[in-house]
């Protein structure tokens, strides 16, 4: 049997194959009004097409746990019940196509309140649907970005509660997997990395203090997320800084602790916390970071990063470098990547009845 199309079980959930879609922001939610942050027709057709194409699990893009936690005013959110109802339409369709619906719960921290990427992604002020970003420390992301407000301990605990509330709503909306966004320079990552966390209290300084927020969020989500459903955590395995940043060694160390706190799989990415760093981008460039976690811990991992071909994806799994692959850009180009890969490998994959002539 093809490794890529072997089912994968975490807790009581069996995922039909190892071709998964990573969270990729669409910046297509309403920025204001009664359905602010709710998924739209765009999201239904976008995710629905990949489900109909045979993708085993789809992680819906970064979904904010509060209005201030959005990357942009056009991000998805799950802080109210109107959003929950809108998500149900999406999860029903994905589940109906034999695809596991997952959601990434997120807070953008100091990288919040920016425009959509295709219009430049510049910071937005209050006069342009923006707001004041927050962070562990008052350190702006880059030149031209606002100085974020330093979070008080009380505010930190409020955000921990917002993650738990968002997880409850995600369950009510029909999601089978929740993922905590701890990568790409957003709030959880900002606490992890000494590059962005300059605090001197219980949330800063030592490794143990800097991971405190991540573990508190994990515990809060795990407490409300059902025992039989998996919890993922996305991490940037490195800041790509020579010194003073989050490192692969830190990631391995954190992985073991996350497993102890109820995380079932580590979604391993890199970067996003420091602008202007040199990243050696190339085919599968982030896979070695996932492979190291898999080799040095017992926590399952998913690999991501320019995984674009069937043979490449199959080899990553067959070599034991990861337990699943997250196919991003290629799924944007080809919603039926999984079905085409199954045909190449002589494997079976779900095909909608309406597409029976394509088999």
């Amino acid at each position: 049997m093809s490794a890529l199309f072997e089912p994968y079980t975490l807790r009581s959930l069996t995922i039909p194959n190892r071709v998964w879609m990573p969270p990729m922001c669409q910046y297509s939610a309403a920025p204001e009004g009664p359905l602010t942050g709710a998924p739209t027709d765009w999201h239904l057709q976008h995710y629905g097409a990949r489900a109909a194409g045979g993708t085993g699990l789809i992680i819906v893009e970064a979904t904010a746990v509060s209005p201030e936690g959005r990357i942009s005013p056009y991000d998805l959110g799950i802080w109210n019940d109107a959003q929950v109802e809108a998500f149900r339409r999406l999860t029903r369709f994905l589940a109906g196509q034999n695809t596991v619906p997952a959601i990434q719960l997120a807070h953008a921290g100091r990288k919040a309140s920016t425009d959509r990427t295709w219009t430049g992604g510049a910071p937005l002020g209050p006069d342009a649907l923006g707001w004041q970003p927050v962070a562990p420390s008052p350190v702006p992301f880059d030149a031209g970005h606002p100085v974020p407000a330093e979070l008080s301990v009380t505010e930190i605990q409020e955000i921990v509660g917002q993650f738990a509330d968002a997880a409850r709503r995600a369950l009510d909306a029909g999601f089978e997997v929740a993922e905590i966004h701890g990568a790409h320079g957003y709030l959880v990552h900002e606490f992890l990395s000494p590059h962005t966390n300059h605090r001197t209290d219980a949330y800063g300084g030592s490794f143990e203090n800097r991971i405190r927020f991540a573990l508190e969020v994990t515990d809060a989500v795990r407490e409300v997320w059902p025992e039989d459903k998996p919890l993922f955590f996305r991490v940037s395995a490195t800041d790509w800084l020579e010194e003073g940043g989050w490192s692969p060694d830190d990631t391995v160390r954190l992985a073991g602790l996350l497993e102890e706190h109820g995380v079932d799989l580590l979604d391993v990415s890199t970067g996003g916390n420091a602008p202007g760093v040199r990243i050696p981008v190339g085919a599968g460039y982030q896979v070695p970071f996932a492979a190291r976690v898999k080799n040095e811990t017992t926590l399952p991992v998913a690999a991501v990063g320019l995984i674009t071909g069937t043979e490449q994806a199959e080899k990553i799994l067959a070599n034991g470098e990861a337990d699943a692959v997250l196919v991003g850009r290629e799924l944007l180009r080809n919603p039926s990547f999984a079905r085409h890969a199954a045909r190449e490998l002589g494997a079976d994959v779900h095909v909608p009845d309406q597409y029976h002539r394509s088999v």
Side-chain angles (χ1 to χ4, degrees), residues 86-308:
F87 273 115
R88 288 188 185 126
R89 183 184 179 211
L90 177 58
T91 58
R92 281 196 301 266
F93 187 86
L94 268 57
Q97 299 304 313
N98 201 37
T99 294
V100 173
I103 186 170
Q104 185 183 71
L105 305 177
H107 192 297
R110 70 175 186 164
K111 294 176 73 175
S113 189
T114 59
D115 207 348
R116 292 177 285 198
T117 53
W118 59 83
T119 55
L124 297 176
D127 58 341
L129 301 173
W131 57 92
Q132 170 66 55
V134 298
S137 304
V139 181
F141 174 65
D142 200 357
H145 284 247
V147 176
E150 182 175 86
L151 289 164
S152 68
V153 172
T154 298
E155 289 168 331
I156 290 170
Q157 291 306 306
E158 288 173 353
I159 294 173
V160 171
Q162 289 168 353
F163 270 93
D165 291 342
R168 289 191 192 94
R169 291 191 177 97
L171 180 65
D172 191 24
F175 287 100
E176 295 291 331
V177 176
E179 176 174 270
I180 296 166
H181 196 351
H184 300 160
Y186 300 119
L187 187 62
V188 175
H189 186 180
E190 291 165 18
F191 272 93
L192 293 175
S193 175
H195 177 69
T196 40
N197 185 344
H198 300 172
R199 299 177 73 97
T200 57
D201 62 4
Y203 288 93
S206 67
F207 174 86
E208 291 77 11
N209 282 358
R210 286 184 284 107
I211 68 168
R212 188 182 306 276
F213 178 65
L215 295 183
E216 287 182 350
V217 168
T218 299
D219 288 344
V221 171
R222 185 75 268 181
E223 184 175 351
V224 302
W225 197 246
E227 184 68 24
D228 62 339
K229 294 185 187 296
L231 175 63
F232 294 179
F233 189 103
R234 182 165 241 200
V235 67
S236 281
T238 176
D239 283 343
W240 295 105
L241 293 168
E242 293 184 6
E243 59 182 26
W246 184 257
S247 72
D249 289 344
D250 293 329
T251 297
V252 171
R253 191 175 174 188
L254 176 65
L257 293 168
L258 288 173
E259 186 172 22
E260 292 176 8
H261 285 255
V263 169
D264 299 289
L265 179 137
L266 195 67
D267 171 359
V268 184
S269 187
T270 67
N273 199 34
V277 295
R278 296 175 61 86
I279 300 176
V281 176
Y285 71 104
Q286 296 177 141
V287 174
F289 298 98
R292 181 177 172 189
V293 173
K294 183 168 175 60
N295 290 335
E296 298 184 22
T297 76
T298 56
L299 184 63
V301 299
V304 66
L306 291 183
I307 299 171
T308 59

Side-chain angles (χ1 to χ4, degrees), residues 21-30 37-48 50 57-65 69-78 87 90 94 101-107 116-118 170 175 177-181 184 186 234 267 332:
M21 182 176 178
M24 293 178 284
C25 288
Q26 297 297 293
Y27 304 109
S28 297
T40 64
D41 288 347
W42 173 263
H43 297 95
L44 180 64
Q45 71 79 29
H46 169 65
Y47 292 113
R50 278 81 194 163
L57 176 142
I58 290 176
I59 307 176
V60 171
E61 64 204 76
T63 302
V65 301
R70 292 172 292 171
I71 302 167
S72 94
Y74 305 94
D75 272 6
L76 292 179
I78 193 160
F87 273 115
L90 177 58
L94 268 57
I103 186 170
Q104 185 183 71
L105 305 177
H107 192 297
R116 292 177 285 198
T117 53
W118 59 83
F175 287 100
V177 176
E179 176 174 270
I180 296 166
H181 196 351
H184 300 160
Y186 300 119
R234 182 165 241 200
D267 171 359
L332 295 182

Side-chain angles (χ1 to χ4, degrees), residues 13-36:
L13 177 69
T14 297
I15 304 163
N17 62 58
R18 318 285 182 107
V19 181
W20 299 355
M21 182 176 178
M24 293 178 284
C25 288
Q26 297 297 293
Y27 304 109
S28 297
E32 54 188 347
L35 289 177
T36 298

